[in-house]
Amino acid sequence: MKDTQRVDKILSNFGFGSRKEIKQLVKNGAVKVDGVVIKDSSIHVNPKESVIEVAGEILRYREFIYIMMNKPQGVISATYDNRLRTVIDILPDEYKCFHLFPVGRLDIDTEGLLLLTNDGQLAHELLSPKKHVPKRYYALIEGNVTEKDAHAFKEGVVLDDGYKTLPSELFILKPGNYSEVEVVIYEGKFHQIKRMFEAVGKKVKYLKRIEMGKLKLDDNLKTGEVRELTEEEAKLIKAVQTAN
Ligand code: URA
């Protein structure tokens, strides 16, 4: 990104309206840059260095932003779709200016931890097949999940297209006709967990991602809610960039 940008462009990215509306705001004396009221909305400033104030409120500019979402069912992990609601559509307005995108995909009927960011480099590394970033899921399975299945997951199971999965971990929380389990996988094939259970003759009824790398889903986030990562969490997730 260029270091300096037009003030009206910055403000429109922050959701302050159209260029025309912003011009009016500036005319009204509502916008200050480094403590000085500006008169021209086309001036260039560096949002990383300058303090921009609108009607007394200081804009909290950050180049990269990291958001945790507890993804609800019924929305797709994409930035745009002409038919279905996306995870971007359900973001609060205050985040819409940051050009966020989801890091990886959860199926439309999968819930849970989804990281949204505009940090392309981090996303690339988290998704790199070479990094083997662990992803932990809670699942409700139709059928009695057994230690035999856990063993099969550890060895790798052969999916419907002939692909043999990498070793994964299956923890049986509650066996029964409907079993509760947790699964940790180190790759991210299409519908991977569902297809792994199909490979052992069982069906996923409910799926929720609860961890990605060292980042854990905040239990206090209701489905559909988001919050920014804390500095500590951002550090944890960025550790992938120094790991082999
Ligand atoms: N595995 C699946 O089957 N679906 C998901 O959404 C994620 C992992």
Side-chain angles (χ1 to χ4, degrees):
M1 192 180 73
K2 281 207 306 265
D3 282 347
T4 66
Q5 286 176 278
R6 283 174 63 124
V7 166
D8 50 9
K9 172 85 172 49
I10 298 168
L11 294 189
S12 94
N13 281 347
F14 269 93
F16 283 99
S18 64
R19 284 211 173 163
K20 206 169 147 206
E21 288 163 327
I22 290 161
K23 202 169 174 182
Q24 193 57 49
L25 265 181
V26 169
K27 234 178 160 180
N28 294 346
V31 182
K32 282 186 190 168
V33 174
D34 296 325
V36 178
V37 173
I38 59 162
K39 288 278 172 259
D40 180 357
S41 58
S42 70
I43 62 163
H44 280 70
V45 300
N46 182 341
K48 284 187 224 166
E49 287 174 0
S50 289
V51 177
I52 305 173
E53 227 175 297
V54 181
E57 189 193 328
I58 294 179
L59 301 191
R60 209 157 70 82
Y61 181 84
R62 44 261 199 251
E63 186 175 12
F64 293 130
I65 156 156
Y66 307 93
I67 304 276
M68 173 189 297
M69 174 181 280
N70 184 356
K71 180 192 166 296
Q73 295 185 345
V75 294
I76 59 166
S77 305
T79 49
Y80 172 78
D81 193 87
N82 54 15
R83 220 165 39 88
L84 300 165
R85 275 198 317 155
T86 71
V87 289
I88 301 298
D89 294 330
I90 64 165
L91 278 178
D93 283 347
E94 63 187 293
Y95 296 123
K96 292 219 167 118
C97 58
F98 287 104
H99 308 295
L100 298 169
F101 51 85
V103 179
R105 283 168 193 276
L106 291 177
D107 296 338
I108 190 162
D109 57 352
T110 301
E111 289 181 2
L113 177 61
L114 188 66
L115 178 67
L116 295 131
T117 186
N118 52 0
D119 182 344
Q121 185 61 35
L122 177 67
H124 178 75
E125 298 198 40
L126 284 168
L127 298 174
S128 162
K130 287 188 213 133
K131 294 276 183 177
H132 300 303
V133 172
K135 279 145 302 226
R136 181 182 286 264
Y137 293 84
Y138 164 86
L140 182 64
I141 308 295
E142 194 176 297
N144 191 21
V145 178
T146 63
E147 286 305 326
K148 196 167 154 228
D149 299 322
H151 184 74
F153 277 28
K154 198 168 166 193
E155 294 295 306
V157 292
V158 178
L159 302 182
D160 46 9
D161 58 0
Y163 174 77
K164 185 168 182 213
T165 59
L166 293 178
S168 62
E169 290 137 38
L170 169 58
F171 305 94
I172 304 166
L173 305 179
K174 209 166 159 209
N177 291 341
Y178 280 89
S179 311
E180 283 181 51
V181 301
E182 280 185 13
V183 186
V184 184
I185 56 173
Y186 296 84
E187 53 190 338
K189 302 286 172 207
F190 186 60
H191 297 328
Q192 179 156 346
I193 303 273
K194 291 174 186 161
R195 290 162 70 213
M196 285 172 74
F197 278 99
E198 269 163 32
V200 294
K202 290 169 185 117
K203 196 166 162 50
V204 173
K205 295 304 280 180
Y206 171 81
L207 189 61
K208 176 179 185 176
R209 182 155 67 192
I210 51 178
E211 286 176 26
M212 180 175 189
K214 294 191 173 122
L215 185 65
K216 291 184 195 315
L217 178 65
D218 181 342
D219 287 339
N220 296 316
L221 271 190
K222 301 200 185 82
T223 49
E225 286 185 347
V226 300
R227 70 157 170 79
E228 278 185 57
L229 297 194
T230 62
E231 265 178 43
E232 190 50 38
E233 287 170 331
K235 256 192 228 150
L236 284 177
I237 197 77
K238 285 181 195 173
V240 70
Q241 296 185 300
T242 45
N244 293 320

mmCIF file of all heavy atoms in Angstrom, residues 62-69 78-80 86-89 91-103 115-120 226-228:
data_model
loop_
_atom_site.group_PDB
_atom_site.id
_atom_site.type_symbol
_atom_site.label_atom_id
_atom_site.label_comp_id
_atom_site.label_asym_id
_atom_site.label_seq_id
_atom_site.Cartn_x
_atom_site.Cartn_y
_atom_site.Cartn_z
ATOM 1 N N ARG A 62 -4.902 0.589 11.522
ATOM 2 C CA ARG A 62 -3.846 -0.431 11.564
ATOM 3 C C ARG A 62 -3.795 -1.066 10.193
ATOM 4 O O ARG A 62 -4.821 -1.260 9.540
ATOM 5 C CB ARG A 62 -3.999 -1.467 12.670
ATOM 6 C CG ARG A 62 -5.391 -1.996 12.839
ATOM 7 C CD ARG A 62 -6.026 -1.221 14.009
ATOM 8 N NE ARG A 62 -7.159 -1.954 14.527
ATOM 9 C CZ ARG A 62 -8.408 -1.560 14.353
ATOM 10 N NH1 ARG A 62 -8.703 -0.495 13.662
ATOM 11 N NH2 ARG A 62 -9.400 -2.260 14.869
ATOM 12 N N GLU A 63 -2.581 -1.354 9.793
ATOM 13 C CA GLU A 63 -2.407 -1.897 8.448
ATOM 14 C C GLU A 63 -3.002 -3.299 8.371
ATOM 15 O O GLU A 63 -3.777 -3.609 7.472
ATOM 16 C CB GLU A 63 -0.914 -1.936 8.111
ATOM 17 C CG GLU A 63 -0.667 -2.357 6.676
ATOM 18 C CD GLU A 63 0.792 -2.269 6.315
ATOM 19 O OE1 GLU A 63 1.637 -2.110 7.217
ATOM 20 O OE2 GLU A 63 1.072 -2.366 5.110
ATOM 21 N N PHE A 64 -2.661 -4.125 9.337
ATOM 22 C CA PHE A 64 -3.167 -5.494 9.339
ATOM 23 C C PHE A 64 -4.123 -5.664 10.502
ATOM 24 O O PHE A 64 -3.905 -5.135 11.587
ATOM 25 C CB PHE A 64 -2.030 -6.500 9.478
ATOM 26 C CG PHE A 64 -1.133 -6.510 8.283
ATOM 27 C CD1 PHE A 64 0.226 -6.416 8.436
ATOM 28 C CD2 PHE A 64 -1.658 -6.607 6.997
ATOM 29 C CE1 PHE A 64 1.056 -6.422 7.332
ATOM 30 C CE2 PHE A 64 -0.838 -6.612 5.886
ATOM 31 C CZ PHE A 64 0.526 -6.515 6.052
ATOM 32 N N ILE A 65 -5.130 -6.432 10.259
ATOM 33 C CA ILE A 65 -6.103 -6.658 11.315
ATOM 34 C C ILE A 65 -6.460 -8.137 11.327
ATOM 35 O O ILE A 65 -6.472 -8.787 10.288
ATOM 36 C CB ILE A 65 -7.268 -5.661 11.162
ATOM 37 C CG1 ILE A 65 -8.552 -6.103 11.784
ATOM 38 C CG2 ILE A 65 -7.583 -5.236 9.813
ATOM 39 C CD1 ILE A 65 -9.406 -4.883 12.094
ATOM 40 N N TYR A 66 -6.680 -8.656 12.528
ATOM 41 C CA TYR A 66 -6.880 -10.087 12.720
ATOM 42 C C TYR A 66 -8.162 -10.277 13.538
ATOM 43 O O TYR A 66 -8.226 -9.823 14.683
ATOM 44 C CB TYR A 66 -5.683 -10.701 13.465
ATOM 45 C CG TYR A 66 -4.372 -10.366 12.785
ATOM 46 C CD1 TYR A 66 -3.621 -9.255 13.177
ATOM 47 C CD2 TYR A 66 -3.919 -11.133 11.721
ATOM 48 C CE1 TYR A 66 -2.434 -8.925 12.538
ATOM 49 C CE2 TYR A 66 -2.735 -10.802 11.068
ATOM 50 C CZ TYR A 66 -1.999 -9.699 11.478
ATOM 51 O OH TYR A 66 -0.841 -9.374 10.829
ATOM 52 N N ILE A 67 -9.116 -10.946 12.942
ATOM 53 C CA ILE A 67 -10.427 -11.095 13.569
ATOM 54 C C ILE A 67 -10.738 -12.574 13.773
ATOM 55 O O ILE A 67 -10.541 -13.381 12.858
ATOM 56 C CB ILE A 67 -11.527 -10.538 12.617
ATOM 57 C CG1 ILE A 67 -11.242 -9.102 12.227
ATOM 58 C CG2 ILE A 67 -12.919 -10.728 13.177
ATOM 59 C CD1 ILE A 67 -11.724 -8.110 13.211
ATOM 60 N N MET A 68 -11.233 -12.884 14.967
ATOM 61 C CA MET A 68 -11.719 -14.242 15.216
ATOM 62 C C MET A 68 -13.230 -14.227 15.045
ATOM 63 O O MET A 68 -13.906 -13.375 15.615
ATOM 64 C CB MET A 68 -11.379 -14.623 16.666
ATOM 65 C CG MET A 68 -11.968 -15.939 17.102
ATOM 66 S SD MET A 68 -11.771 -16.233 18.892
ATOM 67 C CE MET A 68 -10.016 -16.304 19.075
ATOM 68 N N MET A 69 -13.734 -15.169 14.251
ATOM 69 C CA MET A 69 -15.194 -15.293 14.107
ATOM 70 C C MET A 69 -15.598 -16.667 14.606
ATOM 71 O O MET A 69 -14.893 -17.645 14.367
ATOM 72 C CB MET A 69 -15.602 -15.152 12.631
ATOM 73 C CG MET A 69 -17.078 -15.413 12.368
ATOM 74 S SD MET A 69 -17.540 -15.275 10.621
ATOM 75 C CE MET A 69 -17.674 -13.513 10.447
ATOM 76 N N ALA A 78 -16.312 -17.128 2.007
ATOM 77 C CA ALA A 78 -15.836 -16.469 0.783
ATOM 78 C C ALA A 78 -15.993 -14.977 1.006
ATOM 79 O O ALA A 78 -16.642 -14.545 1.977
ATOM 80 C CB ALA A 78 -16.679 -16.917 -0.402
ATOM 81 N N THR A 79 -15.412 -14.179 0.115
ATOM 82 C CA THR A 79 -15.554 -12.730 0.270
ATOM 83 C C THR A 79 -16.780 -12.222 -0.488
ATOM 84 O O THR A 79 -17.336 -11.190 -0.145
ATOM 85 C CB THR A 79 -14.307 -11.990 -0.254
ATOM 86 O OG1 THR A 79 -13.999 -12.490 -1.547
ATOM 87 C CG2 THR A 79 -13.130 -12.198 0.662
ATOM 88 N N TYR A 80 -17.176 -12.945 -1.536
ATOM 89 C CA TYR A 80 -18.316 -12.491 -2.324
ATOM 90 C C TYR A 80 -19.061 -13.687 -2.894
ATOM 91 O O TYR A 80 -18.451 -14.677 -3.289
ATOM 92 C CB TYR A 80 -17.817 -11.598 -3.483
ATOM 93 C CG TYR A 80 -18.913 -11.264 -4.442
ATOM 94 C CD1 TYR A 80 -19.846 -10.274 -4.126
ATOM 95 C CD2 TYR A 80 -19.060 -11.966 -5.636
ATOM 96 C CE1 TYR A 80 -20.896 -10.003 -4.987
ATOM 97 C CE2 TYR A 80 -20.105 -11.690 -6.504
ATOM 98 C CZ TYR A 80 -21.021 -10.708 -6.174
ATOM 99 O OH TYR A 80 -22.061 -10.446 -7.006
ATOM 100 N N THR A 86 -22.109 -14.405 2.829
ATOM 101 C CA THR A 86 -20.722 -14.788 3.124
ATOM 102 C C THR A 86 -20.342 -14.331 4.531
ATOM 103 O O THR A 86 -21.044 -13.509 5.141
ATOM 104 C CB THR A 86 -19.732 -14.124 2.140
ATOM 105 O OG1 THR A 86 -19.676 -12.722 2.434
ATOM 106 C CG2 THR A 86 -20.131 -14.340 0.687
ATOM 107 N N VAL A 87 -19.196 -14.822 4.981
ATOM 108 C CA VAL A 87 -18.700 -14.396 6.299
ATOM 109 C C VAL A 87 -18.383 -12.897 6.307
ATOM 110 O O VAL A 87 -18.411 -12.272 7.370
ATOM 111 C CB VAL A 87 -17.463 -15.219 6.734
ATOM 112 C CG1 VAL A 87 -17.851 -16.639 7.077
ATOM 113 C CG2 VAL A 87 -16.358 -15.192 5.691
ATOM 114 N N ILE A 88 -18.096 -12.330 5.150
ATOM 115 C CA ILE A 88 -17.838 -10.882 5.083
ATOM 116 C C ILE A 88 -19.158 -10.111 5.232
ATOM 117 O O ILE A 88 -19.205 -9.074 5.908
ATOM 118 C CB ILE A 88 -17.141 -10.510 3.753
ATOM 119 C CG1 ILE A 88 -15.811 -11.273 3.615
ATOM 120 C CG2 ILE A 88 -16.931 -8.996 3.624
ATOM 121 C CD1 ILE A 88 -14.774 -10.979 4.681
ATOM 122 N N ASP A 89 -20.224 -10.645 4.649
ATOM 123 C CA ASP A 89 -21.532 -9.970 4.755
ATOM 124 C C ASP A 89 -21.977 -9.819 6.210
ATOM 125 O O ASP A 89 -22.689 -8.883 6.543
ATOM 126 C CB ASP A 89 -22.621 -10.760 4.001
ATOM 127 C CG ASP A 89 -22.385 -10.772 2.506
ATOM 128 O OD1 ASP A 89 -21.798 -9.801 1.995
ATOM 129 O OD2 ASP A 89 -22.784 -11.751 1.844
ATOM 130 N N LEU A 91 -20.050 -9.407 8.850
ATOM 131 C CA LEU A 91 -19.145 -8.634 9.724
ATOM 132 C C LEU A 91 -19.793 -7.323 10.153
ATOM 133 O O LEU A 91 -20.488 -6.694 9.350
ATOM 134 C CB LEU A 91 -17.877 -8.267 8.951
ATOM 135 C CG LEU A 91 -16.767 -9.290 8.822
ATOM 136 C CD1 LEU A 91 -15.645 -8.710 7.969
ATOM 137 C CD2 LEU A 91 -16.235 -9.681 10.188
ATOM 138 N N PRO A 92 -19.543 -6.871 11.372
ATOM 139 C CA PRO A 92 -20.006 -5.531 11.762
ATOM 140 C C PRO A 92 -19.398 -4.478 10.817
ATOM 141 O O PRO A 92 -18.260 -4.646 10.347
ATOM 142 C CB PRO A 92 -19.459 -5.362 13.172
ATOM 143 C CG PRO A 92 -19.165 -6.732 13.661
ATOM 144 C CD PRO A 92 -18.836 -7.561 12.464
ATOM 145 N N ASP A 93 -20.142 -3.381 10.573
ATOM 146 C CA ASP A 93 -19.707 -2.350 9.620
ATOM 147 C C ASP A 93 -18.292 -1.836 9.889
ATOM 148 O O ASP A 93 -17.553 -1.559 8.960
ATOM 149 C CB ASP A 93 -20.660 -1.148 9.655
ATOM 150 C CG ASP A 93 -21.935 -1.476 8.907
ATOM 151 O OD1 ASP A 93 -21.949 -2.493 8.181
ATOM 152 O OD2 ASP A 93 -22.916 -0.729 9.064
ATOM 153 N N GLU A 94 -17.946 -1.726 11.176
ATOM 154 C CA GLU A 94 -16.636 -1.139 11.503
ATOM 155 C C GLU A 94 -15.459 -1.909 10.894
ATOM 156 O O GLU A 94 -14.355 -1.388 10.801
ATOM 157 C CB GLU A 94 -16.468 -1.048 13.024
ATOM 158 C CG GLU A 94 -16.486 -2.405 13.686
ATOM 159 C CD GLU A 94 -16.484 -2.351 15.206
ATOM 160 O OE1 GLU A 94 -15.491 -1.917 15.779
ATOM 161 O OE2 GLU A 94 -17.487 -2.778 15.806
ATOM 162 N N TYR A 95 -15.691 -3.168 10.509
ATOM 163 C CA TYR A 95 -14.588 -3.960 9.943
ATOM 164 C C TYR A 95 -14.647 -4.035 8.423
ATOM 165 O O TYR A 95 -13.756 -4.593 7.794
ATOM 166 C CB TYR A 95 -14.601 -5.381 10.518
ATOM 167 C CG TYR A 95 -14.339 -5.409 11.999
ATOM 168 C CD1 TYR A 95 -15.247 -5.980 12.874
ATOM 169 C CD2 TYR A 95 -13.173 -4.853 12.516
ATOM 170 C CE1 TYR A 95 -15.009 -6.000 14.245
ATOM 171 C CE2 TYR A 95 -12.932 -4.867 13.882
ATOM 172 C CZ TYR A 95 -13.849 -5.439 14.736
ATOM 173 O OH TYR A 95 -13.604 -5.451 16.082
ATOM 174 N N LYS A 96 -15.718 -3.488 7.847
ATOM 175 C CA LYS A 96 -15.921 -3.695 6.406
ATOM 176 C C LYS A 96 -14.884 -2.963 5.553
ATOM 177 O O LYS A 96 -14.669 -3.313 4.408
ATOM 178 C CB LYS A 96 -17.337 -3.290 6.023
ATOM 179 C CG LYS A 96 -18.379 -4.234 6.618
ATOM 180 C CD LYS A 96 -19.524 -4.527 5.695
ATOM 181 C CE LYS A 96 -20.337 -5.704 6.213
ATOM 182 N NZ LYS A 96 -21.701 -5.391 6.526
ATOM 183 N N CYS A 97 -14.244 -1.916 6.143
ATOM 184 C CA CYS A 97 -13.294 -1.140 5.343
ATOM 185 C C CYS A 97 -11.941 -1.810 5.199
ATOM 186 O O CYS A 97 -11.098 -1.348 4.449
ATOM 187 C CB CYS A 97 -13.119 0.221 5.991
ATOM 188 S SG CYS A 97 -12.535 0.108 7.678
ATOM 189 N N PHE A 98 -11.705 -2.899 5.906
ATOM 190 C CA PHE A 98 -10.339 -3.432 5.958
ATOM 191 C C PHE A 98 -10.012 -4.481 4.888
ATOM 192 O O PHE A 98 -8.927 -5.040 4.892
ATOM 193 C CB PHE A 98 -10.052 -4.025 7.343
ATOM 194 C CG PHE A 98 -9.870 -2.976 8.400
ATOM 195 C CD1 PHE A 98 -10.866 -2.702 9.319
ATOM 196 C CD2 PHE A 98 -8.688 -2.251 8.482
ATOM 197 C CE1 PHE A 98 -10.698 -1.738 10.297
ATOM 198 C CE2 PHE A 98 -8.502 -1.290 9.457
ATOM 199 C CZ PHE A 98 -9.521 -1.024 10.363
ATOM 200 N N HIS A 99 -10.934 -4.748 4.012
ATOM 201 C CA HIS A 99 -10.697 -5.750 2.952
ATOM 202 C C HIS A 99 -10.236 -7.082 3.532
ATOM 203 O O HIS A 99 -9.208 -7.636 3.152
ATOM 204 C CB HIS A 99 -9.696 -5.227 1.915
ATOM 205 C CG HIS A 99 -10.081 -3.890 1.378
ATOM 206 N ND1 HIS A 99 -11.222 -3.705 0.630
ATOM 207 C CD2 HIS A 99 -9.531 -2.664 1.525
ATOM 208 C CE1 HIS A 99 -11.350 -2.432 0.329
ATOM 209 N NE2 HIS A 99 -10.333 -1.773 0.877
ATOM 210 N N LEU A 100 -11.008 -7.562 4.488
ATOM 211 C CA LEU A 100 -10.671 -8.824 5.139
ATOM 212 C C LEU A 100 -11.060 -10.005 4.262
ATOM 213 O O LEU A 100 -11.966 -9.895 3.436
ATOM 214 C CB LEU A 100 -11.428 -8.935 6.467
ATOM 215 C CG LEU A 100 -11.105 -7.870 7.495
ATOM 216 C CD1 LEU A 100 -12.091 -7.926 8.645
ATOM 217 C CD2 LEU A 100 -9.696 -8.044 8.018
ATOM 218 N N PHE A 101 -10.394 -11.109 4.479
ATOM 219 C CA PHE A 101 -10.799 -12.354 3.821
ATOM 220 C C PHE A 101 -10.602 -13.496 4.813
ATOM 221 O O PHE A 101 -9.804 -13.380 5.754
ATOM 222 C CB PHE A 101 -9.999 -12.601 2.527
ATOM 223 C CG PHE A 101 -8.523 -12.505 2.723
ATOM 224 C CD1 PHE A 101 -7.791 -13.601 3.174
ATOM 225 C CD2 PHE A 101 -7.851 -11.318 2.492
ATOM 226 C CE1 PHE A 101 -6.428 -13.502 3.370
ATOM 227 C CE2 PHE A 101 -6.475 -11.219 2.700
ATOM 228 C CZ PHE A 101 -5.768 -12.310 3.146
ATOM 229 N N PRO A 102 -11.350 -14.582 4.623
ATOM 230 C CA PRO A 102 -11.201 -15.707 5.552
ATOM 231 C C PRO A 102 -9.941 -16.503 5.249
ATOM 232 O O PRO A 102 -9.585 -16.683 4.081
ATOM 233 C CB PRO A 102 -12.448 -16.561 5.284
ATOM 234 C CG PRO A 102 -12.886 -16.202 3.902
ATOM 235 C CD PRO A 102 -12.418 -14.804 3.628
ATOM 236 N N VAL A 103 -9.278 -16.961 6.299
ATOM 237 C CA VAL A 103 -8.083 -17.799 6.115
ATOM 238 C C VAL A 103 -8.558 -19.253 6.030
ATOM 239 O O VAL A 103 -8.867 -19.876 7.040
ATOM 240 C CB VAL A 103 -7.095 -17.603 7.285
ATOM 241 C CG1 VAL A 103 -5.873 -18.500 7.101
ATOM 242 C CG2 VAL A 103 -6.681 -16.144 7.381
ATOM 243 N N LEU A 115 -10.516 -17.448 11.117
ATOM 244 C CA LEU A 115 -9.697 -16.246 11.213
ATOM 245 C C LEU A 115 -9.933 -15.412 9.965
ATOM 246 O O LEU A 115 -9.913 -15.946 8.845
ATOM 247 C CB LEU A 115 -8.225 -16.665 11.323
ATOM 248 C CG LEU A 115 -7.203 -15.544 11.379
ATOM 249 C CD1 LEU A 115 -7.342 -14.749 12.683
ATOM 250 C CD2 LEU A 115 -5.781 -16.120 11.286
ATOM 251 N N LEU A 116 -10.162 -14.127 10.162
ATOM 252 C CA LEU A 116 -10.290 -13.213 9.023
ATOM 253 C C LEU A 116 -9.199 -12.169 9.151
ATOM 254 O O LEU A 116 -8.958 -11.657 10.248
ATOM 255 C CB LEU A 116 -11.667 -12.532 9.044
ATOM 256 C CG LEU A 116 -12.826 -13.495 8.850
ATOM 257 C CD1 LEU A 116 -13.885 -13.267 9.889
ATOM 258 C CD2 LEU A 116 -13.406 -13.380 7.470
ATOM 259 N N THR A 117 -8.544 -11.885 8.059
ATOM 260 C CA THR A 117 -7.450 -10.915 8.105
ATOM 261 C C THR A 117 -7.290 -10.252 6.746
ATOM 262 O O THR A 117 -7.920 -10.672 5.771
ATOM 263 C CB THR A 117 -6.127 -11.602 8.523
ATOM 264 O OG1 THR A 117 -5.119 -10.619 8.691
ATOM 265 C CG2 THR A 117 -5.655 -12.612 7.516
ATOM 266 N N ASN A 118 -6.435 -9.227 6.707
ATOM 267 C CA ASN A 118 -6.008 -8.672 5.423
ATOM 268 C C ASN A 118 -4.500 -8.890 5.265
ATOM 269 O O ASN A 118 -3.867 -8.267 4.434
ATOM 270 C CB ASN A 118 -6.372 -7.181 5.313
ATOM 271 C CG ASN A 118 -5.865 -6.394 6.510
ATOM 272 O OD1 ASN A 118 -5.247 -6.950 7.414
ATOM 273 N ND2 ASN A 118 -6.122 -5.107 6.528
ATOM 274 N N ASP A 119 -3.943 -9.753 6.102
ATOM 275 C CA ASP A 119 -2.517 -10.057 6.087
ATOM 276 C C ASP A 119 -2.303 -11.293 5.195
ATOM 277 O O ASP A 119 -2.383 -12.435 5.656
ATOM 278 C CB ASP A 119 -2.058 -10.315 7.538
ATOM 279 C CG ASP A 119 -0.571 -10.589 7.652
ATOM 280 O OD1 ASP A 119 0.073 -10.886 6.631
ATOM 281 O OD2 ASP A 119 -0.051 -10.516 8.785
ATOM 282 N N GLY A 120 -2.058 -11.014 3.921
ATOM 283 C CA GLY A 120 -1.956 -12.084 2.927
ATOM 284 C C GLY A 120 -0.807 -13.048 3.200
ATOM 285 O O GLY A 120 -0.931 -14.248 3.002
ATOM 286 N N VAL A 226 -17.881 -11.802 16.372
ATOM 287 C CA VAL A 226 -16.458 -11.645 16.056
ATOM 288 C C VAL A 226 -15.801 -10.771 17.118
ATOM 289 O O VAL A 226 -16.478 -9.999 17.799
ATOM 290 C CB VAL A 226 -16.236 -10.970 14.677
ATOM 291 C CG1 VAL A 226 -16.851 -11.761 13.554
ATOM 292 C CG2 VAL A 226 -16.743 -9.531 14.662
ATOM 293 N N ARG A 227 -14.499 -10.894 17.188
ATOM 294 C CA ARG A 227 -13.709 -9.927 17.960
ATOM 295 C C ARG A 227 -12.292 -9.928 17.411
ATOM 296 O O ARG A 227 -11.861 -10.889 16.771
ATOM 297 C CB ARG A 227 -13.731 -10.229 19.456
ATOM 298 C CG ARG A 227 -12.977 -11.465 19.888
ATOM 299 C CD ARG A 227 -12.591 -11.348 21.358
ATOM 300 N NE ARG A 227 -12.072 -12.558 21.944
ATOM 301 C CZ ARG A 227 -10.822 -12.998 21.783
ATOM 302 N NH1 ARG A 227 -9.962 -12.353 20.995
ATOM 303 N NH2 ARG A 227 -10.423 -14.112 22.387
ATOM 304 N N GLU A 228 -11.577 -8.820 17.666
ATOM 305 C CA GLU A 228 -10.184 -8.778 17.231
ATOM 306 C C GLU A 228 -9.343 -9.678 18.124
ATOM 307 O O GLU A 228 -9.656 -9.843 19.313
ATOM 308 C CB GLU A 228 -9.648 -7.347 17.300
ATOM 309 C CG GLU A 228 -10.041 -6.548 16.082
ATOM 310 C CD GLU A 228 -9.420 -5.161 16.057
ATOM 311 O OE1 GLU A 228 -8.178 -5.051 16.114
ATOM 312 O OE2 GLU A 228 -10.188 -4.201 15.975
#
